Amino acid sequence: PTKVFAQQSHFSGKIVGDRQEPVAFATVVLEGTSFAVMSDDKGRFEFRNVPFGTYQLKITSLEIHTSSFKVQISKSEHKQDFSVKMRTE
């Protein structure tokens, strides 16, 4: 028998706020999957071995308004940055 492997991607990006400042330590989730990571201190995040497809990316943090983006992953290296709205005090 031949094994068929789904095509997978290394998906990375950066989260920035209204003034292009990095959003550190935000939770980044591909909804409906087990993929969830936290952005680093520079707002960067990465997922490995994400099957190709369309996903809803959800970003949450105390510093920002919860944001959701549609993401189409169809190549082995997918890089996409996201701009979110910061909460005002």
Side-chain angles (χ1 to χ4, degrees):
T2 303
K3 288 188 178 184
V4 177
F5 294 98
Q7 291 182 295
Q8 296 181 333
S9 178
H10 174 225
F11 170 31
S12 63
K14 183 175 181 178
I15 305 162
V16 296
D18 305 304
R19 294 178 295 283
Q20 297 303 305
E21 68 277 27
V23 178
F25 312 114
T27 301
V28 185
V29 176
L30 291 177
E31 292 189 296
T33 75
S34 60
F35 290 99
V37 295
M38 186 172 283
S39 62
D40 68 11
D41 61 337
K42 294 181 176 59
R44 295 180 303 219
F45 68 90
E46 75 177 311
F47 295 101
R48 293 193 174 277
N49 303 319
V50 178
F52 286 8
T54 302
Y55 298 93
Q56 204 61 34
L57 180 88
K58 185 176 179 181
I59 304 169
T60 57
S61 164
L62 294 176
E63 298 178 329
I64 66 167
H65 292 280
T66 296
S67 301
S68 192
F69 301 90
K70 186 176 184 177
V71 178
Q72 175 72 42
I73 298 175
S74 60
K75 53 189 179 195
S76 60
E77 291 286 329
H78 183 90
K79 183 165 176 41
Q80 187 171 353
D81 296 339
F82 300 91
S83 181
V84 296
K85 186 157 178 54
M86 303 298 288
R87 289 186 189 271
T88 53
E89 295 185 32

